Amino acid sequence: MTGLVFTTPEEADDFLQAVVSMRAEQLSEGDVISVGPAVASILGVGKIKATLNTERLMREHDLDRILHIGTCMALTDAVDVGTLVGASFVLEGDRVHLNAPTYPRMPLDCPFETDTTGTVVTQDHDIGDPEDGSYWQRIADVSDTSGYAVAYVAAQHGVPCHVAKVVTSQAGVDRDSFLEDRSAAHARIASFLQQDVFADDAWT
């Protein structure tokens, strides 16, 4: 069975409406529902909520794999808004600022057709301008608030984890169309899951 986890209800809404005619706002953080060949859950924002709710999901369900899908911020203008990024590495970014710290990157497999692959850094704090940010921000492509936590818990259980994120903004750039970008990203998430993930017999 596949575990499908979103950070916020908004990220899941278009997909759940299309597949089970349900509004994601009806779910509380940590709730789990059956969605075809998968179980889906809303984690909540931040590494602590992501860790606790992913752990709970893993303990209560016999999962073969976990897919974390949602939105992110680009840390470089080389990654455009609207890009679907498959994570090849995840990093935990809320750490002491060092010039060249030694810390293992967690590699991830990306078995899906995405626009590009890249490194995701997970942080709870506001990153500001990436050029003035931490080592982790400078070596990552995009930033989110939950990917590392999900991948770490899955690894502790020996379960494969895949992370895919749609870019809704770029660090240090004010966008008048931010809300429209988020709406388009949520639609892209739903399309990706329906057409590229669950259309594959290997995921059923």
Coordinates of all heavy atoms in Angstrom, one line a residue, residues 7-8 11 68-75 79-87 116 118-122 127 141-147 163-171 175 178 181-182 185-186 189:
T7 N 1.4 18.3 3.1 CA 1.6 19.2 4.2 C 0.4 19.9 4.6 O 0.1 20.0 5.8 CB 2.7 20.2 3.9 OG1 3.9 19.5 3.5 CG2 3.0 21.1 5.1
T8 N -0.4 20.5 3.7 CA -1.6 21.3 4.0 C -2.8 20.7 3.3 O -2.7 20.1 2.2 CB -1.4 22.8 3.6 OG1 -1.3 22.8 2.1 CG2 -0.1 23.3 4.2
E11 N -3.1 21.7 -0.5 CA -2.3 21.0 -1.4 C -3.0 19.7 -1.9 O -2.8 19.2 -3.0 CB -0.9 20.6 -0.8 CG 0.0 21.8 -0.6 CD 1.3 21.4 0.1 OE1 1.3 20.3 0.7 OE2 2.2 22.2 0.1
H68 N 5.5 11.9 -0.7 CA 5.2 13.2 -0.1 C 5.1 14.2 -1.3 O 6.1 14.4 -2.0 CB 6.3 13.6 0.8 CG 6.1 14.9 1.5 ND1 4.8 15.4 1.8 CD2 6.9 15.9 1.8 CE1 5.0 16.6 2.4 NE2 6.2 16.9 2.3
I69 N 4.0 14.8 -1.5 CA 3.7 15.7 -2.6 C 3.2 17.0 -2.1 O 2.4 17.0 -1.1 CB 2.7 15.0 -3.6 CG1 2.4 15.9 -4.8 CG2 1.4 14.6 -2.9 CD1 3.4 16.0 -5.8
G70 N 3.6 18.1 -2.7 CA 3.2 19.4 -2.2 C 3.8 20.5 -2.9 O 4.1 20.4 -4.1
T71 N 4.0 21.6 -2.2 CA 4.6 22.8 -2.9 C 5.9 23.2 -2.2 O 6.2 22.8 -1.1 CB 3.6 24.0 -2.8 OG1 3.2 24.3 -1.4 CG2 2.3 23.7 -3.5
C72 N 6.6 24.1 -2.8 CA 7.9 24.5 -2.3 C 8.3 25.9 -2.8 O 7.6 26.4 -3.7 CB 9.0 23.5 -2.7 SG 9.3 23.4 -4.4
M73 N 9.4 26.4 -2.3 CA 10.0 27.7 -2.8 C 11.3 27.4 -3.4 O 12.1 26.7 -2.9 CB 10.2 28.6 -1.6 CG 11.0 29.9 -1.9 SD 11.5 30.8 -0.4 CE 9.8 31.4 0.1
A74 N 11.5 28.0 -4.6 CA 12.8 27.9 -5.3 C 13.8 28.8 -4.7 O 13.5 29.9 -4.2 CB 12.6 28.3 -6.8
L75 N 15.0 28.3 -4.5 CA 16.1 29.0 -3.9 C 17.0 29.7 -5.0 O 18.0 30.3 -4.7 CB 16.9 28.1 -3.0 CG 16.2 27.5 -1.8 CD1 17.0 26.6 -1.1 CD2 15.7 28.7 -0.9
V79 N 15.2 27.8 -11.3 CA 14.0 26.9 -11.1 C 12.8 27.8 -11.2 O 12.5 28.6 -10.3 CB 14.0 26.1 -9.8 CG1 12.8 25.1 -9.7 CG2 15.3 25.3 -9.7
D80 N 12.0 27.7 -12.2 CA 10.8 28.5 -12.4 C 9.6 28.2 -11.6 O 9.5 27.0 -11.2 CB 10.4 28.5 -13.9 CG 11.5 29.1 -14.8 OD1 12.2 30.0 -14.4 OD2 11.6 28.7 -16.0
V81 N 8.8 29.1 -11.3 CA 7.5 28.9 -10.7 C 6.7 28.0 -11.6 O 6.7 28.1 -12.8 CB 6.8 30.2 -10.5 CG1 5.3 29.9 -10.1 CG2 7.5 31.0 -9.4
G82 N 6.1 27.0 -11.0 CA 5.3 26.0 -11.8 C 6.0 24.7 -12.1 O 5.4 23.7 -12.5
T83 N 7.4 24.7 -11.8 CA 8.2 23.5 -12.1 C 7.8 22.4 -11.1 O 7.8 22.6 -9.9 CB 9.7 23.8 -12.0 OG1 10.0 24.9 -12.9 CG2 10.5 22.6 -12.2
L84 N 7.7 21.2 -11.6 CA 7.5 20.0 -10.7 C 8.9 19.4 -10.5 O 9.6 18.9 -11.4 CB 6.6 19.0 -11.4 CG 6.4 17.7 -10.6 CD1 5.7 17.9 -9.3 CD2 5.6 16.7 -11.5
V85 N 9.3 19.4 -9.2 CA 10.7 19.0 -8.9 C 10.6 17.6 -8.1 O 9.9 17.5 -7.1 CB 11.4 20.0 -7.9 CG1 12.8 19.5 -7.6 CG2 11.5 21.4 -8.6
G86 N 11.3 16.6 -8.7 CA 11.4 15.4 -8.0 C 12.7 15.4 -7.1 O 13.8 15.8 -7.6
A87 N 12.6 15.1 -5.8 CA 13.7 15.2 -4.9 C 14.7 14.1 -5.1 O 14.4 12.9 -5.1 CB 13.3 15.3 -3.5
T116 N 12.1 18.3 -13.5 CA 13.5 18.2 -13.1 C 13.7 17.5 -11.8 O 12.7 17.2 -11.1 CB 14.1 19.7 -13.0 OG1 15.5 19.6 -12.9 CG2 13.5 20.4 -11.9
G118 N 16.1 17.6 -8.1 CA 17.0 18.5 -7.4 C 17.0 18.2 -5.9 O 16.4 17.3 -5.4
T119 N 17.7 19.1 -5.1 CA 17.9 18.9 -3.7 C 16.9 19.8 -3.0 O 16.7 21.0 -3.3 CB 19.3 19.3 -3.3 OG1 20.2 18.4 -3.9 CG2 19.5 19.2 -1.8
V120 N 16.2 19.2 -2.0 CA 15.2 19.9 -1.2 C 15.8 20.1 0.2 O 16.3 19.2 0.8 CB 13.9 19.1 -1.0 CG1 12.9 19.8 -0.1 CG2 13.3 18.9 -2.4
V121 N 15.8 21.3 0.7 CA 16.2 21.6 2.1 C 14.9 21.9 2.9 O 14.1 22.7 2.5 CB 17.2 22.8 2.2 CG1 16.7 24.1 1.6 CG2 17.7 22.9 3.6
T122 N 14.7 21.3 4.0 CA 13.6 21.5 4.9 C 13.9 22.4 6.0 O 14.8 22.1 6.8 CB 13.1 20.1 5.4 OG1 12.6 19.3 4.3 CG2 11.9 20.3 6.4
I127 N 13.8 31.9 5.4 CA 15.1 31.8 4.8 C 15.6 33.1 4.3 O 16.8 33.3 4.2 CB 15.2 30.8 3.7 CG1 14.4 31.2 2.5 CG2 14.8 29.4 4.2 CD1 14.7 30.5 1.2
D141 N 18.2 23.4 -4.1 CA 17.5 24.0 -5.2 C 16.1 24.6 -4.8 O 15.7 25.6 -5.3 CB 17.2 22.9 -6.3 CG 18.5 22.4 -6.9 OD1 19.3 23.1 -7.5 OD2 18.7 21.1 -6.7
V142 N 15.5 23.9 -3.8 CA 14.2 24.3 -3.4 C 14.1 24.1 -1.9 O 14.8 23.3 -1.3 CB 13.0 23.6 -4.1 CG1 13.0 23.9 -5.6 CG2 13.0 22.1 -3.8
S143 N 13.1 24.8 -1.2 CA 12.9 24.7 0.2 C 11.5 24.4 0.6 O 10.6 24.9 -0.1 CB 13.3 26.0 0.9 OG 13.0 26.0 2.3
D144 N 11.3 23.5 1.6 CA 10.0 23.2 2.1 C 10.0 23.1 3.6 O 11.0 23.4 4.2 CB 9.4 21.9 1.4 CG 10.0 20.6 2.0 OD1 11.0 20.7 2.7 OD2 9.4 19.6 1.7
T145 N 8.9 22.7 4.2 CA 8.8 22.6 5.6 C 8.6 21.2 6.2 O 8.5 21.0 7.4 CB 7.7 23.5 6.2 OG1 6.4 22.9 5.7 CG2 7.8 24.9 5.7
S146 N 8.7 20.2 5.3 CA 8.3 18.8 5.8 C 9.0 17.7 5.1 O 9.0 16.6 5.7 CB 6.8 18.6 5.7 OG 6.4 18.9 4.3
G147 N 9.6 17.9 4.0 CA 10.2 16.8 3.2 C 11.2 15.9 3.9 O 11.2 14.7 3.9
V163 N 9.7 12.1 -2.9 CA 9.2 13.5 -2.7 C 9.1 14.2 -4.0 O 10.1 14.3 -4.8 CB 10.1 14.2 -1.7 CG1 9.7 15.7 -1.5 CG2 10.2 13.5 -0.4
A164 N 8.0 14.8 -4.2 CA 7.8 15.7 -5.4 C 7.1 16.9 -5.0 O 6.1 16.9 -4.3 CB 6.9 14.9 -6.5
K165 N 7.6 18.1 -5.5 CA 7.1 19.4 -5.1 C 7.0 20.3 -6.3 O 7.8 20.3 -7.2 CB 8.1 20.0 -4.1 CG 8.3 19.2 -2.8 CD 7.1 19.5 -1.8 CE 7.3 18.7 -0.5 NZ 6.7 19.4 0.6
V166 N 5.9 21.1 -6.3 CA 5.6 22.1 -7.3 C 6.1 23.5 -6.8 O 5.7 23.9 -5.7 CB 4.2 22.1 -7.7 CG1 4.0 23.2 -8.8 CG2 3.7 20.8 -8.2
V167 N 6.9 24.2 -7.5 CA 7.4 25.5 -7.1 C 6.3 26.6 -7.2 O 5.7 26.7 -8.3 CB 8.6 25.9 -7.9 CG1 9.0 27.3 -7.6 CG2 9.7 24.9 -7.8
T168 N 6.0 27.3 -6.1 CA 5.0 28.3 -6.1 C 5.6 29.7 -6.0 O 4.9 30.7 -6.2 CB 3.9 28.1 -5.0 OG1 4.6 28.1 -3.7 CG2 3.2 26.8 -5.2
S169 N 6.9 29.8 -5.6 CA 7.5 31.1 -5.4 C 9.0 31.0 -5.5 O 9.5 29.8 -5.5 CB 7.1 31.7 -4.1 OG 7.5 30.9 -3.0
Q170 N 9.7 32.1 -5.6 CA 11.1 32.1 -5.6 C 11.6 33.0 -4.4 O 11.0 34.0 -4.2 CB 11.7 32.6 -6.9 CG 11.5 31.7 -8.1 CD 11.9 32.2 -9.4 OE1 11.8 33.4 -9.6 NE2 12.5 31.4 -10.2
A171 N 12.6 32.5 -3.7 CA 13.1 33.3 -2.5 C 13.6 34.7 -2.9 O 14.2 34.9 -3.9 CB 14.3 32.5 -1.9
R175 N 5.8 38.3 -5.7 CA 5.0 38.0 -6.9 C 3.6 38.4 -6.7 O 2.9 38.0 -5.7 CB 5.1 36.5 -7.2 CG 6.5 36.0 -7.6 CD 6.4 34.5 -8.0 NE 5.5 34.3 -9.1 CZ 5.9 34.3 -10.4 NH1 7.1 34.6 -10.7 NH2 5.1 34.1 -11.3
F178 N 1.0 35.4 -6.7 CA 1.4 34.3 -5.8 C 0.2 33.4 -5.6 O 0.3 32.2 -5.7 CB 1.9 34.8 -4.5 CG 2.2 33.7 -3.5 CD1 3.2 32.9 -3.7 CD2 1.5 33.6 -2.3 CE1 3.6 31.9 -2.8 CE2 1.8 32.6 -1.4 CZ 2.8 31.7 -1.6
D181 N -0.5 31.4 -8.6 CA 0.6 30.3 -8.7 C 0.3 29.1 -7.8 O 0.4 28.0 -8.2 CB 1.9 30.9 -8.3 CG 2.4 31.9 -9.3 OD1 2.0 31.9 -10.5 OD2 3.2 32.8 -9.0
R182 N -0.2 29.4 -6.6 CA -0.5 28.3 -5.7 C -1.7 27.5 -6.2 O -1.7 26.3 -6.1 CB -0.9 28.9 -4.3 CG 0.4 29.4 -3.6 CD 0.0 29.8 -2.1 NE -0.2 28.6 -1.3 CZ 0.7 27.8 -0.8 NH1 2.0 28.1 -0.9 NH2 0.4 26.7 -0.1
A185 N -0.5 25.3 -8.9 CA 0.3 24.3 -8.3 C -0.6 23.1 -7.8 O -0.3 22.0 -7.9 CB 1.2 24.8 -7.2
H186 N -1.7 23.5 -7.1 CA -2.6 22.5 -6.6 C -3.2 21.7 -7.7 O -3.4 20.4 -7.6 CB -3.7 23.1 -5.7 CG -3.1 23.9 -4.5 ND1 -3.8 24.9 -3.9 CD2 -1.9 23.8 -3.9 CE1 -3.0 25.4 -3.0 NE2 -1.9 24.8 -2.9
I189 N -0.6 19.3 -8.9 CA -0.5 18.1 -8.0 C -1.5 17.1 -8.3 O -1.2 15.9 -8.4 CB -0.6 18.6 -6.5 CG1 0.7 19.4 -6.1 CG2 -0.8 17.4 -5.6 CD1 0.5 20.1 -4.8

